[in-house]
Amino acid sequence: MSTKPSIPKGTRDFLPDELVKRDHVFNTIASVYGRFGFQKIETPTIENLNTLLGKYGDEGDKLLFRILNSGDFLSKVPQDVIDTKNSSLFSAAIAEKGLRYDLTVPFARFVVQHRNELIFPFRRYQIQPVWRADKPQKGRYREFFQCDADIIGSDSLLNELELIQIMDHVFSALGVPVTIRFNNRKILAGIADIIGAGKQFTALTVIIDKMDKIGITGVIDELKISGFSDEGIETVKAILLIEGDNAEKVDFLAGMIQNTNTGAKGIEEVKQLLKYLESFKAKNKVILDATLARGLNYYTGAIFEVTANDVKMGSLCGGGRYDDLTGIFGWEGVSGVGISFGADRIVDVMEQMQCFDLRNANTTRVLFVNFGGDEEQYALKALMQIRYAGIVAEIYPDPVKMKKQMSYANERKIPFVVIAGSKERENSVFTLKDMVKGTQEEISLEELISKL
Amino acid sequence: MSTKPSIPKGTRDFLPDELVKRDHVFNTIASVYGRFGFQKIETPTIENLNTLLGKYGDEGDKLLFRILNSGDFLSKVPQDVIDTKNSSLFSAAIAEKGLRYDLTVPFARFVVQHRNELIFPFRRYQIQPVWRADKPQKGRYREFFQCDADIIGSDSLLNELELIQIMDHVFSALGVPVTIRFNNRKILAGIADIIGAGKQFTALTVIIDKMDKIGITGVIDELKISGFSDEGIETVKAILLIEGDNAEKVDFLAGMIQNTNTGAKGIEEVKQLLKYLESFKAKNKVILDATLARGLNYYTGAIFEVTANDVKMGSLCGGGRYDDLTGIFGWEGVSGVGISFGADRIVDVMEQMQCFDLRNANTTRVLFVNFGGDEEQYALKALMQIRYAGIVAEIYPDPVKMKKQMSYANERKIPFVVIAGSKERENSVFTLKDMVKGTQEEISLEELISKL
């Protein structure tokens, strides 16, 4: 084989340095989820297509990676299907399984399938890759990770509070200052009601959702094109432009939509959440944002979105309350609320903010130079004790020239090198070289361990 | 949708308790790999089929999961291919990508593709799932994890030593007593030479490999059927039945095969490895086993296999030295050595040995009972401080009946419950109930944190 090996477009190899960064983000998220009592689950990469199809709209169905049935799959395709030459009919006949498109639908399937084994309210987190046959472009991959947490089987707004606390903890721990915005879809429904556009609720949310991209004039233009009344548009404009702190905003909104059923419920929920938020000193800004809409139709209550303060990059985390996620699998009326962190974007933001220091990462701390023979034996014994002490340590595997071994240490960014030649062995000491400062000293094994 | 949701056969959902066990095994392996200076990498789930095909034999090719090309894939299939109705020709025309079958071939592809970015000798570890369209059966899954470590670009037997140390560390840390067997394929080649069956080397290794299943008489029968000479069979028998410690075995083997080129090299390597092993007090038995052959043809030097001492279960870890892994991708003559842990089997062994104690697992340690109103606020403040102290804690999200909340704590196996009603709030104390002992006491927040 002479062609250069490659991987499918939109997929990535993770080299060690990249993985150290990504895992730092994953581990921080997992550890905060864990501290809040969320339990980790995993679902299979491969799901039956009847679990996945029809859950993401027609566009989503097209983006599913389908797995060819094994064996003599063609023998099971009726001749008339072959004759149509219709790829979509054909694929239904030769592919029964597909790759997970997100973690939400598999989670709904999981909850329904295991409802008798789970303890409700069930708080789960899940950090796994998903696949979409999307057009690859900068920052968009065909294989990428999602980091989801959901609480299912409880209406309490305490869950919303805890999810906001989790977002606050995670970004504080990562050292990324953010703004956490929240809203409530019932408030948006109330707005649609008062402008007499209840039936156009989805259109309204989709347009409002573009506010940060197209600005207020863009929103107004789109509302006009979609046939909203001038009076209605004025009302929406006033709401989108409200200023003040969270309490002032909620009072203003209450004044406008308190008389609609759904709107009043939304105001009540936001007030309760604000009361909860008072009990907790968030390290990041937590802002009620009436322009936040989040496109996904399944959200029915609180919605969240997080953006970085110092780097321009889309949403780093988002989520919301849905009243009927498991209904698609036959279990109606189970309320849940969840969030999802976008790990790739968070890594990108942290790169731009230069948050990563690989010299401090949990990689090799010390390299023993290999002199072969008895010196090698002397080094091996010390190495073993150093590793038992929990220190990440290596010996160069071959007794090659010192220069080559030092250059390996340098390229690997290993901060310390131990030189233990015949002189050191005779005196039962070790020469420790600090690769950053360039200094070196002769010390005992005990001193060596405590130094490292 | 009314049918009960399900997952494809041979795949698994991991519920929280199962994941705690599996992750304990993964984390132990990863932490030992890390301490020996191995760096983590990941490769994509999806590889180009031309990377995977032809690397696992005809049987392996059949077990690959293939991914249907996106879009109107049928339009690209020539009519004559459609007319053949040959599934295998057809699949080549409609599927260009497949799921990873193991971690070894993607790693070889990775090393060749990134050879200019990597620092050699390169020590990597990789813990990721692989997929095989095998017939599912007890203990055999279509999606399962491999936990591999390899050192590439170094001939030194120090690498073999370190891999044995890693196996020893991992199983000691997991509390599973094992026997680590090793051999050298060059010794097997030497044996084939002295019985004049050099050309039947592969047949010989395949038969010897069955020793633990079919016993010495089974091996002799199969050797006869395969046409080995009576004299040759007697020699093999003598070698397979050698007794004594490692040094005695190697002397016996040396006496027999020292005069063959490859055999002599094998003896030299084993002697060097034994010398290295002397410098290190293994916690488990490390045994030279002349019957160990390992079927895979790409091994050319040392080979390893680990079995549990107290539970009957196949190999828990295995590996060996290969002289030309990257040759399949055009980079010849790069030597490497690696091992792979079978996490599923290790979990099964630990289950049987009752090694897992979920009460001590890193899950929720304390549940706050929710009394609503001001008591809820009082509990929330304490909860936040407890979580900041790193303790995994929850509050029941709804102020429902005490009985329901206590039963949640019981089912979740949460060891402590905090009761903070109006009396506790007035006195600024908390009642801590020990769910195992059934005792309870009134204490301050500071005492609570130090207790937990």
Side-chain angles (χ1 to χ4, degrees):
Chain A
M1 187 175 306
S2 57
T3 51
K4 195 178 179 311
S6 65
I7 51 177
K9 59 180 179 177
T11 68
R12 288 170 286 178
D13 280 328
F14 284 93
L15 275 76
D17 285 357
E18 298 159 48
L19 218 44
V20 166
K21 297 173 195 170
R22 200 205 63 185
D23 282 353
H24 173 60
V25 172
F26 283 173
N27 293 340
T28 303
I29 294 170
S31 130
V32 175
Y33 280 157
R35 210 173 322 139
F36 278 75
F38 285 75
Q39 297 182 286
K40 186 173 167 190
I41 70 158
E42 289 191 2
T43 60
T45 296
I46 303 174
E47 293 273 355
N48 291 320
L49 276 175
N50 63 18
T51 298
L52 304 176
L53 284 169
K55 311 303 188 303
Y56 308 104
D58 287 348
E59 274 313 301
D61 284 356
K62 282 188 199 142
L63 300 184
L64 290 172
F65 279 112
R66 290 153 198 252
I67 292 171
L68 204 53
N69 294 342
S70 299
D72 186 12
F73 59 87
L74 264 189
S75 67
K76 285 161 201 151
V77 184
Q79 186 62 43
D80 57 335
V81 171
I82 295 182
D83 291 339
T84 62
K85 293 211 187 166
N86 177 317
S87 289
S88 141
L89 275 178
F90 200 81
S91 100
I94 60 173
E96 282 159 15
K97 297 178 286 290
L99 300 187
R100 182 168 60 217
Y101 176 92
D102 71 0
L103 302 180
T104 308
V105 168
F107 175 56
R109 192 265 312 143
F110 176 98
V111 168
V112 176
Q113 189 175 333
H114 300 284
R115 58 197 281 188
N116 296 324
E117 300 156 73
L118 301 177
I119 301 150
F120 293 94
F122 180 54
R123 351 180 100 207
R124 86 85 169 77
Y125 79 90
Q126 189 170 358
I127 298 180
Q128 288 193 279
V130 302
W131 294 267
R132 296 180 188 178
D134 233 330
K135 209 176 168 64
Q137 56 188 60
K138 194 178 172 334
R140 190 196 284 167
Y141 303 99
R142 292 183 146 194
E143 173 177 56
F144 58 98
F145 272 83
Q146 293 191 333
C147 311
D148 286 19
D150 290 81
I151 303 140
I152 197 149
S154 161
D155 288 334
S156 167
L157 289 163
L158 264 188
N159 300 310
E160 274 82 341
L161 168 70
E162 297 210 326
L163 291 176
I164 290 175
Q165 290 178 322
I166 285 173
M167 298 184 247
D168 188 54
H169 277 241
V170 164
F171 288 104
S172 307
L174 292 175
V176 177
V178 294
T179 300
I180 301 168
R181 291 186 172 76
F182 70 96
N183 196 8
N184 193 302
R185 296 270 286 198
K186 296 190 179 83
I187 289 184
L188 295 170
I191 296 172
D193 280 349
I194 56 161
I195 66 170
K199 284 181 184 159
Q200 279 190 282
F201 175 54
T202 303
L204 181 68
T205 55
V206 168
I207 295 170
I208 291 180
D209 208 26
K210 297 183 189 168
M211 175 86 170
D212 58 339
K213 288 202 187 85
I214 60 177
I216 186 71
T217 50
V219 166
I220 290 170
D221 288 348
E222 293 216 7
L223 289 172
K224 276 183 191 153
I225 292 165
S226 299
F228 286 85
S229 71
D230 286 348
E231 198 188 347
I233 291 175
E234 276 310 305
T235 308
V236 172
K237 188 179 163 189
I239 289 168
L240 296 185
L241 294 178
I242 33 171
E243 302 217 331
D245 64 20
N246 291 338
E248 288 162 355
K249 283 183 192 167
V250 78
D251 285 343
F252 178 85
L253 288 167
M256 308 208 48
I257 62 169
Q258 195 66 58
N259 293 328
T260 67
N261 281 337
T262 315
K265 185 82 178 76
I267 294 291
E268 188 192 320
E269 289 181 10
V270 167
K271 282 188 170 166
Q272 176 63 49
L273 187 53
L274 285 174
K275 195 175 162 215
Y276 279 141
L277 285 169
E278 275 168 31
S279 75
F280 135 79
K281 282 192 197 64
K283 299 202 168 137
N284 293 283
K285 279 181 280 185
V286 183
I287 291 176
L288 171 62
D289 179 355
T291 74
L292 181 66
R294 290 193 72 76
L296 291 173
N297 254 327
Y298 58 74
Y299 290 127
T300 50
I303 44 181
F304 316 105
E305 203 160 277
V306 180
T307 46
N309 293 344
D310 307 326
V311 175
K312 218 176 151 64
M313 177 86 60
S315 156
L316 303 184
C317 179
R321 157 105 29 206
Y322 40 84
D323 276 341
D324 191 23
L325 187 70
T326 55
I328 49 175
F329 296 110
W331 190 18
E332 310 280 345
V334 185
S335 185
V337 55
I339 53 173
S340 182
F341 287 89
D344 287 313
R345 283 188 178 169
I346 296 173
V347 171
D348 284 350
V349 164
M350 292 178 68
E351 288 274 14
Q352 289 190 41
M353 295 175 62
Q354 302 183 310
C355 293
F356 296 112
D357 181 359
L358 289 177
R359 285 243 177 215
N360 289 329
N362 182 26
T363 49
T364 302
R365 193 148 173 77
V366 62
L367 175 79
F368 276 72
V369 172
N370 190 333
F371 291 98
D374 289 341
E375 283 70 37
E376 189 184 73
Q377 288 284 342
Y378 177 65
L380 282 178
K381 280 190 183 138
L383 181 65
M384 198 167 55
Q385 297 204 40
I386 285 175
R387 283 178 178 154
Y388 269 119
I391 297 159
V392 181
E394 287 179 47
I395 181 167
Y396 197 88
D398 305 275
V400 294
K401 279 191 186 133
M402 181 88 157
K403 199 181 153 196
K404 188 167 181 186
Q405 301 191 42
M406 295 305 272
S407 118
Y408 171 83
N410 252 327
E411 290 182 56
R412 282 281 312 278
K413 299 188 183 65
I414 299 174
F416 294 98
V417 165
V418 168
I419 298 158
S422 54
K423 186 173 61 79
E424 282 88 356
R425 188 173 68 87
E426 277 158 27
N427 301 325
S428 296
V429 293
F430 299 86
T431 298
L432 178 68
K433 187 174 166 76
D434 183 321
M435 297 292 282
V436 181
K437 295 185 192 149
T439 55
Q440 62 182 56
E441 57 185 325
E442 247 185 49
I443 52 180
S444 71
L445 181 58
E446 292 68 39
E447 289 168 323
L448 187 59
I449 290 175
S450 77
K451 269 254 150 153
L452 294 169
Chain B
M1 187 176 303
S2 58
T3 50
K4 195 179 178 315
S6 64
I7 51 177
K9 61 180 178 177
T11 68
R12 288 171 286 177
D13 281 328
F14 284 93
L15 275 77
D17 285 357
E18 296 159 48
L19 218 44
V20 166
K21 297 173 195 171
R22 200 206 63 185
D23 282 354
H24 173 61
V25 173
F26 283 173
N27 293 341
T28 303
I29 295 170
S31 129
V32 175
Y33 280 157
R35 209 170 325 139
F36 278 75
F38 286 75
Q39 298 182 285
K40 187 174 165 188
I41 70 157
E42 289 191 3
T43 61
T45 296
I46 304 174
E47 293 274 355
N48 291 320
L49 276 175
N50 63 18
T51 298
L52 304 176
L53 284 169
K55 311 302 189 303
Y56 308 103
D58 288 348
E59 274 314 300
D61 283 355
K62 282 189 198 144
L63 300 184
L64 289 173
F65 279 111
R66 291 152 197 252
I67 292 170
L68 204 52
N69 294 343
S70 300
D72 186 12
F73 58 86
L74 264 189
S75 67
K76 285 161 202 152
V77 184
Q79 186 62 46
D80 57 334
V81 171
I82 296 183
D83 291 341
T84 62
K85 294 211 185 167
N86 178 318
S87 290
S88 143
L89 276 179
F90 201 81
S91 99
I94 60 173
E96 282 160 14
K97 296 179 286 291
L99 301 187
R100 183 170 59 219
Y101 176 93
D102 71 359
L103 302 180
T104 307
V105 168
F107 175 56
R109 193 265 311 143
F110 176 99
V111 168
V112 176
Q113 190 174 333
H114 300 284
R115 57 196 281 188
N116 296 325
E117 301 155 73
L118 301 176
I119 301 150
F120 293 93
F122 180 55
R123 350 179 102 206
R124 86 85 169 79
Y125 78 90
Q126 188 171 359
I127 299 180
Q128 287 193 280
V130 302
W131 294 266
R132 296 180 187 178
D134 233 330
K135 210 177 168 62
Q137 56 188 61
K138 193 176 172 337
R140 190 196 285 168
Y141 303 99
R142 294 184 145 193
E143 172 177 56
F144 59 99
F145 273 83
Q146 293 192 332
C147 312
D148 286 20
D150 290 81
I151 303 138
I152 197 149
S154 162
D155 288 334
S156 167
L157 289 162
L158 263 189
N159 300 309
E160 274 83 341
L161 168 71
E162 295 211 326
L163 292 175
I164 290 175
Q165 289 178 322
I166 285 173
M167 298 184 248
D168 188 54
H169 276 241
V170 165
F171 289 104
S172 305
L174 292 175
V176 177
V178 294
T179 300
I180 302 168
R181 290 186 173 76
F182 71 95
N183 196 9
N184 194 302
R185 296 269 285 199
K186 295 190 179 87
I187 288 183
L188 295 170
I191 296 172
D193 280 350
I194 55 160
I195 65 169
K199 285 182 184 160
Q200 277 189 285
F201 176 53
T202 303
L204 181 68
T205 55
V206 168
I207 295 169
I208 290 180
D209 209 27
K210 297 183 188 166
M211 174 86 171
D212 58 339
K213 289 204 187 82
I214 61 177
I216 186 71
T217 51
V219 166
I220 291 170
D221 289 347
E222 293 216 6
L223 289 172
K224 276 183 189 153
I225 294 165
S226 298
F228 287 84
S229 71
D230 286 348
E231 199 188 348
I233 291 175
E234 276 311 302
T235 308
V236 171
K237 187 178 162 189
I239 289 168
L240 296 185
L241 294 178
I242 34 171
E243 303 216 332
D245 63 21
N246 292 337
E248 288 162 355
K249 283 182 190 167
V250 79
D251 285 343
F252 179 85
L253 288 167
M256 307 205 53
I257 62 171
Q258 196 66 58
N259 294 328
T260 66
N261 281 336
T262 314
K265 183 82 177 80
I267 293 292
E268 188 193 322
E269 288 181 12
V270 167
K271 281 188 171 166
Q272 175 63 48
L273 186 53
L274 286 174
K275 194 176 162 215
Y276 279 141
L277 284 169
E278 275 167 31
S279 75
F280 135 80
K281 281 193 196 63
K283 298 202 169 138
N284 293 284
K285 279 180 279 184
V286 183
I287 291 175
L288 171 61
D289 179 355
T291 74
L292 181 67
R294 290 193 70 77
L296 292 173
N297 255 326
Y298 58 75
Y299 290 126
T300 51
I303 44 180
F304 315 106
E305 203 160 276
V306 179
T307 46
N309 292 345
D310 307 326
V311 175
K312 218 176 152 64
M313 177 87 58
S315 156
L316 304 184
C317 179
R321 157 90 50 191
Y322 40 84
D323 276 340
D324 191 23
L325 187 69
T326 54
I328 48 176
F329 296 110
W331 189 19
E332 310 281 345
V334 184
S335 185
V337 55
I339 54 172
S340 182
F341 287 89
D344 287 312
R345 281 187 179 169
I346 296 173
V347 170
D348 285 350
V349 165
M350 291 178 68
E351 287 275 14
Q352 289 190 42
M353 292 174 65
Q354 302 182 310
C355 292
F356 296 112
D357 181 358
L358 289 178
R359 285 242 176 216
N360 289 330
N362 181 26
T363 51
T364 302
R365 190 143 175 83
V366 61
L367 175 79
F368 277 71
V369 172
N370 190 333
F371 290 100
D374 289 340
E375 283 70 37
E376 190 184 72
Q377 288 285 340
Y378 178 65
L380 283 179
K381 280 190 182 138
L383 181 65
M384 198 169 52
Q385 298 203 39
I386 285 174
R387 282 177 179 155
Y388 269 119
I391 297 160
V392 181
E394 287 179 49
I395 182 166
Y396 196 88
D398 305 274
V400 295
K401 279 193 185 134
M402 180 88 158
K403 199 181 155 195
K404 188 167 182 187
Q405 301 190 42
M406 295 304 273
S407 115
Y408 171 84
N410 251 326
E411 290 182 55
R412 282 281 312 279
K413 299 189 183 68
I414 298 173
F416 293 98
V417 165
V418 168
I419 298 158
S422 53
K423 185 171 63 73
E424 281 88 356
R425 187 173 68 87
E426 277 158 29
N427 301 327
S428 295
V429 294
F430 298 86
T431 298
L432 178 68
K433 186 175 165 77
D434 183 321
M435 297 293 282
V436 181
K437 295 186 193 149
T439 56
Q440 62 181 56
E441 57 186 325
E442 247 184 47
I443 51 180
S444 71
L445 180 59
E446 293 68 40
E447 289 168 322
L448 187 58
I449 290 174
S450 78
K451 269 252 149 151
L452 295 170

